[in-house]
Amino acid sequence: MYRRTVLKSFAALPLLSLSPPPLAQPAAKAVAPRRVRPADAAWPGAAEWQKLRAAVGGNLLQVHALFGPCEGSPDGAACQDVYRNIRNPFYIGDQPGGTQVSGYLNAWTPAPSVWAVRARHAADVAAAVNFARDHNLRLVVKGGAHSYLGTSSAPDSLLIWTRAMKQVTLHDAFVARGCEGKAPGVPAVSTGAGAMWIDLYSAVTTRAGRYVQGGGCTSVGVAGLIQSGGFGSFSKAFGNAAAGLLEAELVTADGRVRIANACTNPDLFWALKGGGGGTFGVVTRLTLRTHALPEYFGAAWGAVKAKSDDAFRRLIARFLAFYAGSLANPHWGEQVAVQSDNSLKISMVQQGLSREEARAVWKPFFDWIGASADYTVTDPLGAGAHKAQHWWEIEGNPSMIPDVRADAAPGHGWWQGDQDQVGAYLHGYDSLWLPASLLKESVQPRLAQALFAASRHKEVGLHFNKGLAFAAPEAIQASLDTAMNPGVTEAFALAIIADGERPSYPGMKRPPMDLEAARNDARAIDQATQELRDVAPEAGSYLSESNYFNNNWRQAYFGDHYPKLQAIKKKYDPDGLFFVHNGVGSEEWSADGFTRLSGTRA
Ligand SMILES: Cc1cc2nc3c(=O)[nH]c(=O)nc-3n(C[C@H](O)[C@H](O)[C@H](O)COP(=O)(O)OP(=O)(O)OC[C@H]3O[C@@H](n4cnc5c(N)ncnc54)[C@H](O)[C@@H]3O)c2cc1C
């Protein structure tokens, strides 16, 4: 109930292919060094792999696709196990070949690495990095596997899989290495890079009564989210997740284990805060600031449908005025959806207000709806709150689905509202940071009209917690000290327009996709996005939740920070060992990351 799915209608559309051709990478020109593939003579032989296996304590795994066990034995127990668990994000994350997204039309398809190092600590990671570099292999890094852009999946590669590094430790007064005597100790939490946010929320909030800023989806990896900037329901109060980073341990392309914080390698530290995962090195440990826990977390919910287009326009306009007057503050985050059937769906979340206070905030808006014959409440409207410390408890929480596998870690579960996203196949995806200037009274009618026009093509999700205008001043300040596009601090929301269908992993048995319908869906997403771009032509986009085909990704993701990020990339990874689609420095490589484009060598 408290979290909503981004992809609403995963009904039964079938689908796949042809939206715009991949624009982001220049067409492969001729090239200088090419990474090796298994069919190449230079691919390491058995004895070489054996050396790596020994160096990582035996933790070298052969990787198969998620539905690999079904090849040849569709009725076997192993295959049935995959089908039984394929809607469980924790199960998917536990598989070395698992990806939480089952593909993206015309963009990418999950493909297992050849080998994976199941890293236990930085030394394992260093061994794998050295091996990949010395043998000229395509390297890929995976934590929680929640990449919409497919950046933790690459065929013919060596995978560094961080899943096993998940120890969580709390500190009363953490001082970053090298900062002794320069900064006071602060309450913090350290975690292995393979932990998921639920691991931190359980340790920090449920068990210790404090707060750490992370992501909304409980099974997202900590390291992946921090490196993409990262937002959770309460980011309007605490900033983006990267803003809370105090220190990282990572292995760079030269195989060195480094510390990055405000006093040691500060350039690298800044780049890790939102400069993109899989780009600057392999993070092995993170330390994040913790905060006093608000007394209450709560929500507002419901859905209302207008009886005519005109009435829907008025509803959108009324909501925007209500948002600007009553919700644009550090209390309120999460979403409303402006839907194509003239419905407004409310899935907002708040921190710091009691049940009575939350209800009082929403009363005027709910009363206005109730007083008009133009609207039908299709899902009861309400607002409330409860003790914040119980927010991420799984047991007895009707909003959570527990991981009930026999070997599941205690306290693992996911929001009901996120279920539809598990294993989703994307037809299209886009996002824009909508500037707060659009909420000025004189401009609101234009925004309302644009939202209405966009919704004729596709549902628009307004994620208020993913834009930091109206956030707490300290949160804005800390977020400005990250590599994320600074435009995020001037945006009142991230508009997300995305859709897809149920899982469609390679090798999975299901009805064939209706490719025509999928292409039409992708086109509708583009058209809806264009309606919003017309009123926000300079809008940036959140790298982790963005269009694979965004040709303007450097500016959209990072704004004026890109040249600085590029310089840091060249300093720590001059030969481009770390490559991800639309990542810093990726313009020097072919789309698959195997071939360095001529004339681009550092
Ligand atoms: C269903 C779903 C829900 C989401 N919900 C949210 C949300 O609520 N808030 C939000 O801000 N974002 C959200 N995202 C986006 C998500 O935060 C990013 O995609 C994030 O990068 C995922 O991290 P991961 O470790 O789970 O994924 P992975 O796919 O494992 O990694 C993502 C990227 O980070 C790199 N990476 C991972 N671990 C490391 C490491 N240790 N060192 C170096 N690089 C690494 C990978 O190489 C890859 O490029 C969501 C995504 C999905 C699919």
Side-chain angles (χ1 to χ4, degrees):
M1 159 178 91
Y2 290 157
R3 274 193 40 87
R4 243 185 57 66
T5 167
V6 172
L7 306 174
K8 208 223 145 213
S9 46
F10 271 50
L13 299 190
L15 129 29
L16 194 35
S17 177
L18 266 53
S19 48
L23 305 168
Q25 306 293 337
K29 302 176 208 157
V31 221
R34 192 175 73 78
R35 304 197 206 276
V36 303
R37 296 188 189 263
D40 295 330
W43 183 257
E48 298 297 333
W49 287 109
Q50 187 49 40
K51 273 191 219 156
L52 176 60
R53 177 177 285 112
V56 297
N59 286 283
L60 182 69
L61 320 172
Q62 225 157 4
V63 190
H64 60 67
L66 259 185
F67 281 83
C70 299
E71 274 171 40
S73 50
D75 299 324
C79 175
Q80 295 311 310
D81 199 47
V82 185
Y83 280 100
R84 193 168 38 253
N85 288 298
I86 200 63
R87 304 312 303 280
N88 176 342
F90 292 85
Y91 166 82
I92 295 173
D94 286 341
Q95 313 308 311
T99 53
Q100 302 284 349
V101 173
S102 58
Y104 184 150
L105 183 66
N106 277 353
W108 67 277
T109 303
S113 298
V114 184
W115 293 98
V117 169
R118 184 179 166 279
R120 301 158 299 167
H121 39 55
D124 285 351
V125 172
V129 165
N130 288 333
F131 188 87
R133 188 194 58 243
D134 294 347
H135 292 280
N136 195 20
L137 303 184
R138 171 85 161 82
L139 186 62
V140 66
V141 187
K142 188 170 72 152
H146 282 72
S147 173
Y148 287 116
L149 300 184
T151 53
S152 54
S153 170
D156 297 343
S157 63
L158 170 64
L159 169 68
I160 296 177
W161 190 34
T162 63
R163 188 78 166 178
M165 298 193 286
K166 53 189 177 199
Q167 194 182 346
V168 177
T169 312
L170 302 188
H171 311 273
D172 293 331
F174 178 83
V175 180
R177 204 179 305 170
C179 292
E180 297 85 354
K182 296 182 196 157
V186 293
V189 57
S190 290
T191 174
M196 291 166 281
W197 285 103
I198 191 66
D199 298 317
L200 268 67
Y201 297 147
S202 298
V204 174
T205 299
T206 311
R207 294 202 290 278
R210 288 189 63 79
Y211 180 75
V212 58
Q213 184 56 57
C217 184
T218 57
S219 52
V220 165
V222 173
L225 184 125
I226 291 290
Q227 289 175 88
S228 51
F231 301 100
S233 301
F234 311 116
S235 281
K236 278 267 207 269
F238 301 98
N240 64 18
L245 186 67
L246 296 172
E247 181 170 284
E249 176 191 80
L250 78 162
V251 178
T252 43
D254 54 7
R256 279 180 59 188
V257 181
R258 298 178 195 253
I259 291 294
N261 60 44
C263 305
T264 307
N265 297 316
D267 52 355
L268 193 49
F269 178 58
W270 176 81
L272 292 175
K273 293 192 290 180
T279 303
F280 300 98
V282 185
V283 173
T284 48
R285 185 168 44 78
L286 298 144
T287 301
L288 297 160
R289 183 186 291 275
T290 64
H291 305 265
L293 185 67
E295 185 172 3
Y296 297 106
F297 286 159
W301 56 84
V304 54
K305 185 167 179 176
K307 292 182 180 158
S308 68
D309 287 357
D310 261 1
F312 192 43
R313 283 195 189 89
R314 286 197 302 279
L315 178 63
I316 296 170
R318 184 76 186 201
F319 176 78
L320 290 177
F322 170 61
Y323 178 81
S326 304
L327 304 178
N329 57 53
H331 291 296
W332 290 95
E334 289 295 347
Q335 312 164 34
V336 300
V338 182
Q339 301 181 323
S340 305
D341 70 348
N342 288 347
S343 293
L344 184 76
K345 183 159 172 58
I346 298 162
S347 315
M348 297 288 286
V349 166
Q350 60 91 0
Q351 61 79 30
L353 300 176
S354 67
R355 176 181 305 165
E356 294 68 31
E357 289 168 328
R359 287 180 177 167
V361 168
W362 284 83
K363 188 172 184 311
F365 184 61
F366 291 165
D367 284 352
W368 179 84
I369 291 168
S372 169
D374 286 338
Y375 305 109
T376 308
V377 172
T378 50
D379 198 8
L381 302 167
H386 59 70
K387 291 284 183 191
Q389 196 162 359
H390 302 308
W391 189 255
W392 283 288
E393 277 174 9
I394 308 293
E395 215 171 299
N397 183 343
S399 300
M400 286 278 192
I401 302 172
D403 181 0
V404 293
R405 291 174 299 152
D407 55 352
H412 276 183
W414 62 102
W415 295 106
Q416 297 268 6
D418 287 333
Q419 179 63 72
D420 279 353
Q421 291 207 67
V422 180
Y425 182 93
L426 300 173
H427 298 167
Y429 203 111
D430 219 329
S431 71
L432 300 92
W433 273 308
L434 298 177
S437 55
L438 292 171
L439 287 180
K440 280 191 199 138
E441 219 172 306
S442 58
V443 188
Q444 275 178 28
R446 275 190 73 208
L447 176 60
Q449 175 53 31
L451 286 167
F452 176 80
S455 70
R456 299 309 85 186
H457 303 288
K458 210 49 174 153
E459 169 178 325
V460 179
L462 294 176
H463 295 233
F464 299 104
N465 52 310
K466 295 174 182 172
L468 298 179
F470 311 114
E474 332 63 90
I476 292 182
Q477 215 42 50
S479 300
L480 279 172
D481 191 22
T482 69
M484 194 173 240
N485 186 337
V488 65
T489 60
E490 286 153 28
F492 74 92
L494 181 75
I496 295 183
I497 306 174
D499 211 342
E501 62 181 273
R502 61 212 162 100
S504 180
Y505 289 98
M508 182 180 186
K509 218 157 83 186
R510 48 156 280 165
M513 276 188 193
D514 180 344
L515 296 185
E516 188 56 31
R519 275 176 224 135
N520 288 340
D521 211 21
R523 215 166 294 129
I525 289 166
D526 289 346
Q527 288 167 324
T529 305
Q530 189 54 49
E531 298 285 358
L532 295 185
R533 210 170 281 292
D534 286 348
V535 294
E538 308 293 326
S541 186
Y542 173 34
L543 74 89
S544 275
E545 297 180 329
S546 67
N547 187 340
Y548 186 94
F549 304 105
N550 187 342
N551 207 20
N552 187 37
W553 59 269
R554 298 170 196 76
Q555 180 64 30
Y557 296 169
F558 306 112
D560 294 345
H561 289 152
Y562 195 74
K564 184 173 165 189
L565 285 165
Q566 231 175 351
I568 296 168
K569 170 78 174 169
K570 282 194 191 305
K571 176 175 168 188
Y572 290 97
D573 185 17
D575 294 321
L577 180 66
F578 296 102
F579 166 91
V580 293
H581 175 74
N582 286 359
V584 175
S586 61
E587 61 273 53
E588 299 191 3
W589 291 86
S590 58
D592 61 6
F594 269 84
T595 307
R596 189 152 210 156
L597 302 177
S598 59
T600 60
R601 202 170 166 79

